[in-house]
């Protein structure tokens, strides 16, 4: 799939976004933010990821990041242009600049890109949550959004055989480094997340197993209520 937006070649990019949610997915980035670039898997120190960002207009809860000197999160460092499509996508957050010393490559697969990111002129940004609202029955976490985030981790390290152990490890880190796993709705049969990645059944099976391993439950009663609502 080709890009139509005016993204600079990453060799000339000055701005890089540390995407820690749905922007982990290259598929979602390309189809909904028109960003065709490769990314670097990194660890970002000084921030905590939580299920706290309430999208009132979409009636659901997304991950957000808050400043926390004792915490860190895994993310993808992505060359960006601060264009309207990206700003609309991240309307529930504010962009704040991150110091280079806070960002560490995690098994970098593109040393040339990382060398460019490391230059003093490169600006590193992260989306900080504007407000804190834990997920609840009125603003649940959609499984399609979880699929988008975790499939981004899986795809980053995907090899010719499909899902790799490195990808599974990165998806596991996402789960372990995120607080607030509650009020989760299984919307796979009728996707509610508007920027959902394409995730195949084999990948969904891996994601389901990871969630089960961490005792993260899908609220089946809430799912039935939401399904009934969508059917009206």
């Amino acid at each position: 799939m080709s890009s139509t937006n005016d993204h600079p070649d990453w060799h000339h990019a000055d701005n890089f976004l540390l995407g820690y949610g749905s922007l982990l997915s290259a598929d979602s980035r390309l189809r909904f933010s028109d960003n065709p670039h490769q990314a670097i898997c990194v660890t970002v120190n000084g921030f905590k990821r939580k299920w706290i960002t309430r999208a009132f207009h979409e009636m659901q809860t997304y991950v957000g990041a808050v400043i926390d000197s004792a915490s860190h999160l895994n993310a993808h460092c992505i060359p960006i242009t601060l264009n309207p499509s990206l700003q609309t996508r991240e309307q529930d957050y504010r962009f704040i600049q991150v110091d280079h010393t806070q960002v560490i490559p995690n098994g970098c697969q593109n040393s040339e890109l990382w060398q460019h990111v490391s230059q003093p002129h490169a600006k590193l940004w992260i989306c900080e949550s504007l407000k804190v609202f834990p997920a609840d029955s009125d603003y649940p976490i959609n499984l399609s959004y979880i699929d988008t985030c975790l499939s981004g981790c899986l795809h980053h390290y995907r090899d010719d055989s499909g899902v790799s152990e490195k990808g599974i490890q990165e998806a596991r880190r996402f789960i372990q480094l995120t607080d607030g796993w509650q009020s989760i709705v299984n919307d796979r049969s009728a996707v509610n997340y508007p920027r959902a990645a394409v995730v195949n059944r084999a990948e969904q099976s891996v994601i389901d197993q990871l969630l089960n391993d961490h005792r993260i439950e899908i609220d089946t009663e809430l799912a039935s209520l939401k399904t009934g609502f969508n059917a009206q």
Side-chain angles (χ1 to χ4, degrees), residues 114-175:
W114 176 249
Q115 185 177 16
H116 184 76
V117 171
S118 303
Q119 296 300 312
H121 67 81
K123 297 181 178 65
L124 308 182
W125 303 90
I126 197 167
C127 291
E128 181 186 22
S129 292
L130 294 174
K131 296 180 179 179
V132 174
F133 293 102
D136 60 24
S137 58
D138 292 322
Y139 295 90
I141 301 165
N142 282 302
L143 188 55
S144 61
Y145 180 78
I146 296 173
D147 284 343
T148 299
C149 298
L150 296 186
S151 68
C153 298
L154 297 176
H155 288 182
H156 189 77
Y157 290 105
R158 185 169 51 187
D159 55 29
D160 293 338
S161 62
V163 175
S164 70
E165 184 56 36
K166 276 190 174 182
I168 293 173
Q169 290 174 2
E170 194 61 23
R172 185 176 290 114
R173 288 185 72 214
F174 179 100
I175 295 172

Side-chain angles (χ1 to χ4, degrees), residues 53 55 57-58 85-95 127 130 195:
T53 302
H57 58 299
E58 294 172 353
S85 63
L86 180 62
Q87 292 170 327
T88 297
R89 179 175 183 146
E90 306 302 330
Q91 62 184 294
D92 296 306
Y93 307 84
R94 66 174 177 181
F95 288 80
C127 291
L130 294 174
R195 294 166 291 281

Side-chain angles (χ1 to χ4, degrees), residues 24-35:
L24 290 164
S25 168
D27 176 61
S28 182
R29 290 198 306 266
L30 177 56
R31 292 193 295 117
F32 299 104
S33 295
D34 200 25
N35 186 309

Side-chain angles (χ1 to χ4, degrees), residues 12-222:
H12 306 295
D14 293 319
N15 294 287
F16 297 84
L17 183 61
L18 303 167
Y20 56 82
S22 63
L23 287 172
L24 290 164
S25 168
D27 176 61
S28 182
R29 290 198 306 266
L30 177 56
R31 292 193 295 117
F32 299 104
S33 295
D34 200 25
N35 186 309
H37 296 304
Q38 298 181 55
I40 301 170
C41 188
V42 297
T43 296
V44 184
N45 292 308
F47 290 90
K48 180 66 181 178
R49 179 172 50 219
K50 302 179 181 183
W51 291 102
I52 54 170
T53 302
R54 181 167 293 181
F56 287 95
H57 58 299
E58 294 172 353
M59 297 291 291
Q60 55 192 300
T61 298
Y62 300 147
V63 287
V66 294
I67 295 173
D68 183 344
S69 61
S71 297
H72 62 278
L73 55 82
N74 57 330
H76 285 173
C77 182
I78 310 154
I80 60 164
T81 297
L82 295 174
N83 57 36
S85 63
L86 180 62
Q87 292 170 327
T88 297
R89 179 175 183 146
E90 306 302 330
Q91 62 184 294
D92 296 306
Y93 307 84
R94 66 174 177 181
F95 288 80
I96 61 171
Q97 198 164 346
V98 179
D99 191 272
H100 282 242
T101 60
Q102 294 177 252
V103 182
I104 303 169
N106 180 30
C108 180
Q109 294 180 305
N110 190 330
S111 57
E112 188 181 2
L113 176 55
W114 176 249
Q115 185 177 16
H116 184 76
V117 171
S118 303
Q119 296 300 312
H121 67 81
K123 297 181 178 65
L124 308 182
W125 303 90
I126 197 167
C127 291
E128 181 186 22
S129 292
L130 294 174
K131 296 180 179 179
V132 174
F133 293 102
D136 60 24
S137 58
D138 292 322
Y139 295 90
I141 301 165
N142 282 302
L143 188 55
S144 61
Y145 180 78
I146 296 173
D147 284 343
T148 299
C149 298
L150 296 186
S151 68
C153 298
L154 297 176
H155 288 182
H156 189 77
Y157 290 105
R158 185 169 51 187
D159 55 29
D160 293 338
S161 62
V163 175
S164 70
E165 184 56 36
K166 276 190 174 182
I168 293 173
Q169 290 174 2
E170 194 61 23
R172 185 176 290 114
R173 288 185 72 214
F174 179 100
I175 295 172
Q176 294 171 342
L177 296 174
T178 306
D179 287 353
W181 295 90
Q182 62 195 39
S183 302
I184 301 172
V185 175
N186 186 349
D187 67 324
R188 284 173 176 165
S189 62
V191 172
N192 289 319
Y193 177 52
R195 294 166 291 281
V198 176
V199 184
N200 63 42
R201 290 193 176 184
E203 293 161 347
Q204 288 178 345
S205 179
V206 171
I207 291 168
D208 289 343
Q209 185 60 56
L210 286 168
L211 295 177
N212 185 64
D213 289 346
H214 292 83
R215 299 183 180 181
I216 295 170
E217 298 181 354
I218 309 300
D219 191 328
T220 55
E221 182 178 349
L222 183 57

